Amino acid sequence: MSLAALTPDTDIALWLNQQTEKSLLRFLTCGSVDDGKSTLIGRLLYDSQLILDDQLASLKKESHNRTVGDEGIDFSLLVDGLTAEREQGITIDVAYRFFSTDKRKFIVADTPGHEQYTRNMATGASNAELALVLIDARKGVLTQTRRHSFILSLIGVKHVVLVVNKIDLVDYDEAIFDRIVAEYRAFAEPLGFSTLAAVPVSALRGDNILAKSGRTPWFDGVPLVPYLETIQVAEDRTLGKMRFPVQWVNRPNLDFRGFSGTVASGVVKVGDEVLIASSRRPAVVKSIVTMDGELSQAVAGQAVTLVLDREVDISRGDMLTHAGETPEFSNQFQARVVWMSEEPAYPGRSYLLKLGTQLVPATITDLKFRTNVNTLEQTAATKVDLNEVATVTIATDKPIAFDAYTSNALTGGFILVDRISNATLGAGRIDFGLRRAQNLTYQNFDVNRDVRSQMKGQQAKIVWFTGLSGSGKSSIANLLEKRLTAEGRHAYILDGDNVRHGLNKDLGFTEAARVENIRRVAEVARLMADAGLIVLVSFISPFEKERRLAREIAGDIDFVEVYVDTPLEVCESRDPKGLYKRARAGEIKNFTGIDSPFEPPTTPELVLHGAENEPAVLAEHLHGWLKI
Amino acid sequence: MTSGSLTHLQSLEAESIEILREVAASFERPVMMYSIGKDSSVLLHLARKAFFPSKIPFPLLHVNTTWKFREMIAFRDAMAEKHGFDLISHTNPEGLANGINPFDHGSSRFTDIMKTQALRQALDAGRYDAAIGGARRDEEKSRAKERIFSHRNASHAWDPKNQRPELWRVFNTRLNPGESMRVFPISNWTELDVWTYIYSEGIELPSLYYAKSRPVVDRQGTLIMVDDERFRLEPGEQPRQEVVRFRTLGDYPLTGAIRSDAATLPGIIMEMQASRTSEREGRLIDSDSVGSMEKKKQEGYF
């Protein structure tokens, strides 16, 4: 519809409808330095008549002494925004550009080709549905081309257009085009793109941009813009499993409590039963509130406020889902990370992980291998450097809700943040959770912990003993259990060494294995306490993080941390199992107190001084303190 | 990322609301810049939507150079009254005491003292850790590279080489003491998106955007409205009535009007679509030198 034919007020609604009905395509351009990305985008803006008169005038002035096309303009000047870049002649950051044709609106991320700025390309790719991979016809497929294509597949861009640029500089030679396309297709085959088209263009001269060029009669494909206007890329995220990450608790007064957020995928309707991913507690959606009125349903992409039918404990970072299609909820997963910082990533170092609205401390527990982005070969590594991609396992300080990145990028993509500088160090995509219980929904039974505890005439709880080997943990726990049993209570001791012989005999002593060891013991303790027992856990558990994990797993169960504080010399002189002697002799590595640290608890419920009193006295004191 | 069932404008609206909520949830002392123009009006509307039924959970800050169009101030106060938001108005007290004005001190010095420095003063005084602004990436070349959450060091400066990568919708909102964030929720909107949204949502704007007979003088091809008696007329110069409107609003002696008959929103949208001049051309401060906006940003201008 032409504007000239319209009169204000009467036809504007028609025209506006035409505007809003246009679909949106977000794409990025990537390739090596000097492949002509900025020139191509400038050409797209120019050809879609987005360059206004005053911009054109200043552009012609600035194009003096530069390589120009038939129009007398250096198109790259349109998009190279920063003075520093103009001086260096390279694009150093992601720039977003907007243009539209009669059929579509486009948001273009212009991403840099310079090697040190690969992180920006991953950034541009994370919000793009399609990528233009530029190649200089004179140079062919380069290392950067491979690197960028690999990152595209890693970030999950499904559609690629190979733009063989500067075809005018190789005399529009068909053989050169065919050779480049064949080489690229062979490389890209394992990357699994859904579509891959190739176009020979000259961004400077405008060949095969809007229409077929007479200078490439041999090209039988679709020119660039018509291709971008018509390719179908939209995945319908409303078809996915419902994910509603709670972003902000909306509480204007005591009568209203809503949960604001954006539906990440699927559809949520009034009357739906939803589950809170962390607590697995159910609730029913009472209303969906917006300023434009209440809705009967909200679909993926909509920002709404949900009101539930009952008082439930929900805060920012929680995720609401439907029963039967809950996300994984775990504190360990395998992921691939792109490292974006000069400071390398090391296993064991603590970072902040942000996934959706969840923010938790996290550690890379295992660095499995590094992927060579040029050959896709996997090699062993001890650290991850800037612009490298590695496969890792990550443990978070508390469980988080997530999906595999392939099923949902918004609930499977995360960033890692430095705990001191707060810089964004890397980005990752979750491959799978390492606690494979994701499809289980907690069943609420009528006979619950309270009922079972009452039958036993006691209050279920977990008493967690921490302290050095030989500090007296097991002796005290043993005496306490005898005393409780004599009184008719039901108690049970979980001992670190004994558990290693059975439940955890498959675990070694790597950091990941230690975390898993603690997690399993904490889970068993929780189950036993849920059965109504008083659980006494005797475990060195030297790290604050591990003890915090155990406490978090215990959830609402009464958790008592007892620190048996006995000096190392005393423990070593006792050496009931002869372990200190062996550790001193170097026969045991990573032995707590010898060559591995013990982090004393900062806020234990109770401290028992193992060197000052006999175990019997301490057990008696603890018994009195517990008031069982 | 697009969703199959939302229109382009609905997607943009939802994205902006998500960003506004992220600010409210992540920062201790956010503030929203309110410049009374069309982008600010859209931002205000989005903020009301984001937090409904709660009121906007942060104040709105207007940096008043004292040279705004009189109607802008009246409109500002009417909006605060109508929507019940917390309005803070700040003027650089030294600038005021020294009588800094665009006539004697030139546009760049006036802007530096009454806008850039005034903004820093207001942000420091409020100890705001996040300032929300209505800038769009399509406005100007250096803005095309701006992050949605744009990190500023303790002296409010923007380092283009030290910006955080923004992947998906995961924003790193962490700050060290003294640092702050500028947040641009309508980064991905174009000027046409803003106008069509104003139209479809019925958002109120100051009447300065609509064509009307106004007293103007011609200064080197730019039409300047004589809004009050402080305006310095050249010897022999007489304001004449012309039917004009404004494409952007700011300090009246520095804001060029355009000759136009567009007295309704549809008329404006159609005129804009047919026009061949970029939006910022009416702002005199940008044409000083190449890269002037980038330089101002590094100094802390919004």
Side-chain angles (χ1 to χ4, degrees):
Chain A
M1 196 182 299
S2 126
L3 272 165
L6 296 176
T7 55
D9 302 326
T10 50
D11 292 342
I12 190 75
L14 273 173
W15 186 82
L16 284 170
N17 281 341
Q18 191 197 22
Q19 293 307 301
T20 52
E21 278 166 15
K22 278 183 189 175
S23 59
L24 171 68
L25 179 73
R26 295 186 193 228
F27 69 90
L28 81 157
T29 56
C30 46
S32 195
V33 182
D34 293 333
D35 283 344
K37 290 183 304 298
S38 297
T39 303
L40 179 68
I41 295 171
R43 163 63 71 179
L44 291 172
L45 298 180
Y46 180 83
D47 283 354
S48 63
Q49 301 189 319
L50 234 82
I51 312 304
L52 305 170
D53 291 343
D54 56 325
Q55 290 177 324
L56 210 56
S58 80
L59 209 57
K60 283 191 170 153
K61 206 162 68 192
E62 287 178 45
S63 297
H64 188 61
N65 289 338
R66 286 173 164 272
T67 312
V68 296
D70 302 337
E71 298 84 359
I73 292 168
D74 178 355
F75 292 109
S76 70
L77 287 172
L78 277 167
V79 290
D80 285 351
L82 304 182
T83 313
E85 304 179 344
R86 288 196 217 170
E87 284 161 5
Q88 293 171 27
I90 53 163
T91 312
I92 58 167
D93 207 333
V94 189
Y96 294 91
R97 289 284 151 192
F98 306 81
F99 73 98
S100 65
T101 65
D102 285 345
K103 297 198 180 75
R104 251 189 184 158
K105 289 197 167 205
F106 298 93
I107 299 181
V108 191
D110 180 16
T111 62
H114 202 279
E115 182 163 356
Q116 73 201 75
Y117 293 104
T118 295
R119 62 174 203 166
N120 292 320
M121 208 219 87
T123 303
S126 74
N127 286 312
E129 297 147 316
L130 176 146
L132 303 186
V133 174
L134 266 84
I135 287 186
D136 184 332
R138 298 168 301 174
K139 296 179 185 161
V141 178
L142 300 177
T143 300
Q144 279 292 312
T145 317
R146 297 193 180 94
R147 183 186 286 266
H148 288 164
S149 301
F150 174 64
I151 291 169
L152 290 177
S153 86
L154 186 73
I155 302 294
V157 177
K158 296 275 190 295
H159 306 275
V160 168
V161 181
L162 186 69
V163 179
V164 181
N165 193 22
K166 306 191 184 185
I167 197 78
D168 53 323
L169 298 182
V170 294
D171 297 326
Y172 300 97
D173 188 334
E174 180 182 8
I176 289 176
F177 176 75
D178 288 347
R179 197 177 65 230
I180 290 170
V181 173
E183 188 187 350
Y184 185 78
R185 280 191 189 278
F187 164 76
E189 174 73 39
L191 298 178
F193 299 121
S194 304
T195 66
L196 173 56
V199 194
V201 310
S202 166
L204 191 68
R205 296 179 177 279
D207 294 301
N208 292 323
I209 302 288
L210 284 183
K212 267 194 171 175
S213 168
R215 292 179 281 220
T216 55
W218 43 267
F219 175 60
D220 57 5
V222 184
L224 186 58
V225 170
Y227 185 81
L228 294 176
E229 280 180 329
T230 49
I231 183 172
Q232 290 303 314
V233 294
E235 283 175 65
D236 195 345
R237 286 198 289 122
T238 60
L239 298 177
K241 292 172 182 170
M242 199 277 281
R243 299 286 182 258
F244 186 83
V246 175
Q247 200 184 3
W248 188 72
V249 178
N250 196 332
R251 187 134 216 212
N253 54 57
L254 292 175
D255 300 328
F256 186 94
R257 183 179 169 84
F259 304 100
S260 298
T262 304
V263 184
S265 58
V267 180
V268 59
K269 297 187 175 79
V270 171
D272 279 0
E273 186 176 80
V274 291
L275 279 188
I276 301 152
S278 58
S279 64
R280 305 276 170 158
R281 288 183 190 278
V284 172
V285 177
K286 199 165 93 182
S287 57
I288 302 175
V289 175
T290 76
M291 197 171 87
D292 299 320
E294 293 194 3
L295 307 177
S296 59
Q297 65 167 40
V299 303
Q302 274 184 294
V304 294
T305 297
L306 302 185
V307 178
L308 304 178
D309 70 332
R310 66 198 78 168
E311 282 282 327
V312 273
D313 185 19
I314 300 177
S315 52
R316 172 176 163 85
D318 270 321
M319 195 188 283
L320 303 181
T321 72
H322 286 143
E325 37 183 64
T326 52
E328 298 211 33
F329 186 69
S330 165
N331 59 346
Q332 280 191 83
F333 51 81
Q334 179 166 318
R336 273 176 280 171
V337 295
V338 183
W339 205 246
M340 301 178 162
S341 165
E342 300 278 353
E343 174 69 22
Y346 293 101
R349 197 163 285 184
S350 182
Y351 304 102
L352 288 173
L353 180 145
K354 192 173 184 195
L355 185 150
T357 57
Q358 305 174 96
L359 181 75
V360 288
T363 308
I364 296 174
T365 49
D366 190 18
L367 175 47
K368 291 188 173 302
F369 52 82
R370 199 161 51 182
T371 303
N372 181 312
V373 294
N374 303 322
T375 61
L376 305 189
E377 262 176 4
Q378 295 167 353
T379 50
T382 54
K383 59 173 182 159
V384 194
D385 285 314
L386 177 64
N387 289 323
E388 287 187 337
V389 174
T391 300
V392 299
T393 55
I394 288 180
T396 53
D397 277 17
K398 61 174 193 166
I400 57 169
F402 61 85
D403 292 290
Y405 188 80
T406 46
S407 66
N408 194 334
L410 294 180
T411 53
F414 61 90
I415 59 170
L416 292 172
V417 175
D418 190 279
R419 299 192 74 159
I420 308 295
S421 74
N422 288 322
T424 301
L425 301 175
R429 45 163 290 173
I430 296 177
D431 290 329
F432 49 83
L434 289 173
R435 177 185 173 189
R436 297 182 177 268
Q438 62 270 30
N439 296 320
L440 301 179
T441 305
Y442 282 77
Q443 187 68 46
N444 285 318
F445 293 100
D446 292 335
V447 178
N448 59 26
R449 186 193 316 143
D450 290 343
V451 174
R452 291 187 286 263
S453 295
Q454 278 163 21
M455 279 175 67
K456 298 180 177 66
Q458 64 190 32
Q459 180 89 48
K461 65 178 75 218
I462 297 170
V463 182
W464 190 280
F465 294 86
T466 175
L468 293 168
S469 178
S471 60
K473 300 183 300 297
S474 296
S475 307
I476 297 167
N478 183 41
L479 289 164
L480 179 63
E481 187 186 22
K482 276 166 74 175
R483 171 76 192 264
L484 290 171
T485 306
E487 289 171 354
R489 310 281 188 219
H490 299 256
Y492 190 88
I493 295 179
L494 282 170
D495 180 85
D497 292 337
N498 295 350
V499 170
R500 282 267 183 196
H501 288 121
L503 177 66
N504 289 354
K505 71 178 171 192
D506 57 325
L507 297 177
F509 289 87
T510 63
E511 186 171 349
R514 283 183 100 122
V515 173
E516 178 60 11
N517 188 30
I518 290 278
R519 190 192 67 76
R520 288 187 197 173
V521 170
E523 291 283 3
V524 170
R526 195 184 68 81
L527 286 174
M528 287 182 154
D530 199 49
L533 295 176
I534 297 161
V535 189
L536 313 178
V537 185
S538 171
F539 232 71
I540 297 173
S541 42
F543 298 112
E544 185 73 42
K545 201 168 94 175
E546 297 174 345
R547 296 186 296 262
R548 204 183 318 136
L549 175 66
R551 191 185 288 273
E552 280 161 9
I553 288 171
D556 59 346
I557 294 167
D558 191 17
F559 187 94
V560 181
E561 186 176 324
V562 177
Y563 174 31
V564 184
D565 184 6
T566 309
L568 178 64
E569 314 82 71
V570 178
C571 296
E572 198 167 350
S573 67
R574 289 177 184 166
D575 207 6
K577 296 168 190 164
L579 296 172
Y580 282 99
K581 204 173 153 195
R582 292 178 57 200
R584 288 286 184 201
E587 291 169 34
I588 307 175
K589 292 267 180 267
N590 294 326
F591 193 78
T592 302
I594 305 298
D595 56 351
S596 181
F598 181 87
E599 298 170 4
T602 47
T603 52
E605 271 78 7
L606 187 67
V607 180
L608 299 176
H609 296 282
E612 293 167 20
N613 284 295
E614 288 300 310
V617 177
L618 295 172
E620 194 57 32
H621 175 65
L622 174 58
H623 180 267
W625 188 90
L626 288 170
K627 297 195 191 81
I628 294 171
Chain B
M1 247 166 250
T2 51
S3 162
S5 54
L6 300 186
T7 67
H8 179 67
L9 275 184
Q10 286 171 330
S11 299
L12 289 174
E13 180 192 69
E15 179 182 85
S16 302
I17 287 174
E18 184 175 357
I19 293 160
L20 286 162
R21 287 171 173 168
E22 197 67 8
V23 174
S26 311
F27 294 91
E28 284 173 23
R29 296 180 65 83
V31 68
M32 189 161 102
M33 308 305 299
Y34 184 52
S35 72
I36 314 164
K38 65 180 198 309
D39 300 309
S40 268
S41 297
V42 165
L43 211 49
L44 170 60
H45 188 75
L46 291 166
R48 289 173 53 225
K49 283 196 167 192
F51 304 108
F52 179 87
S54 293
K55 297 215 173 216
I56 299 172
F58 38 73
L60 273 66
L61 171 66
H62 179 228
V63 174
N64 190 352
T65 61
T66 73
W67 289 92
K68 302 292 171 192
F69 291 95
R70 283 172 298 166
E71 192 205 320
M72 289 171 69
I73 304 300
F75 183 86
R76 178 194 78 181
D77 295 343
M79 286 294 113
E81 172 80 27
K82 183 172 175 180
H83 300 306
F85 57 78
D86 181 8
L87 176 73
I88 297 167
S89 176
H90 177 79
T91 304
N92 184 344
E94 295 98 62
L96 197 62
N98 293 326
I100 301 295
N101 66 72
F103 300 104
D104 296 321
H105 305 94
S107 78
S108 78
R109 185 138 174 256
F110 167 78
T111 302
D112 177 55
I113 295 169
M114 299 308 280
K115 272 187 166 165
T116 309
Q117 289 188 29
L119 175 62
R120 283 196 210 174
Q121 288 170 349
L123 294 180
D124 286 339
R127 289 180 290 114
Y128 300 116
D129 51 1
I132 303 161
R136 289 177 282 111
R137 283 169 173 163
D138 82 327
E139 275 181 72
E140 204 267 347
K141 274 188 280 188
S142 79
R143 286 203 162 145
K145 315 211 162 185
E146 184 64 277
R147 298 294 192 271
I148 291 172
F149 283 76
S150 176
H151 182 261
R152 303 296 160 107
N153 64 23
S155 50
H156 301 294
W158 178 73
D159 178 359
K161 290 195 177 179
N162 198 22
Q163 292 294 309
R164 297 169 176 176
E166 288 182 341
L167 291 101
W168 309 288
R169 300 276 183 79
V170 186
F171 300 108
N172 177 357
T173 55
R174 311 270 308 168
L175 294 174
N176 281 319
E179 296 176 344
S180 62
M181 204 73 89
R182 302 285 167 91
V183 187
F184 304 109
I186 59 168
S187 284
N188 286 328
W189 296 50
T190 63
E191 189 182 11
L192 179 61
D193 295 328
V194 167
W195 282 115
T196 49
Y197 187 71
I198 288 169
Y199 177 77
S200 61
E201 295 283 307
I203 296 170
E204 279 182 79
L205 293 181
S207 76
L208 293 159
Y209 282 109
Y210 303 103
K212 199 177 126 182
S213 178
R214 297 184 166 99
V216 295
V217 295
D218 190 324
R219 289 285 168 86
Q220 291 135 34
T222 304
L223 295 176
I224 303 293
M225 177 174 161
V226 181
D227 194 45
D228 59 34
E229 66 292 341
R230 293 179 296 174
F231 193 85
R232 306 262 182 89
L233 293 167
E234 306 282 332
E237 195 178 38
Q238 275 297 321
R240 59 173 191 274
Q241 290 290 319
E242 283 210 48
V243 178
V244 295
R245 65 178 192 87
F246 295 88
R247 296 180 62 185
T248 60
L249 300 185
D251 299 308
Y252 82 82
L254 297 175
T255 306
I258 55 166
R259 291 188 180 88
S260 165
D261 295 322
T264 63
L265 203 47
I268 291 173
I269 295 174
M270 291 187 59
E271 185 182 278
M272 194 202 86
Q273 278 308 90
S275 82
R276 299 290 303 156
T277 314
S278 71
E279 186 182 4
R280 296 195 74 87
E281 198 202 29
R283 298 191 191 177
L284 297 181
I285 56 167
D286 286 337
S287 50
D288 290 354
S289 67
V290 172
S292 67
M293 177 59 82
E294 186 191 346
K295 192 161 165 286
K296 286 192 176 68
K297 267 175 67 175
Q298 287 178 353
E299 288 162 357
Y301 178 72
F302 231 77

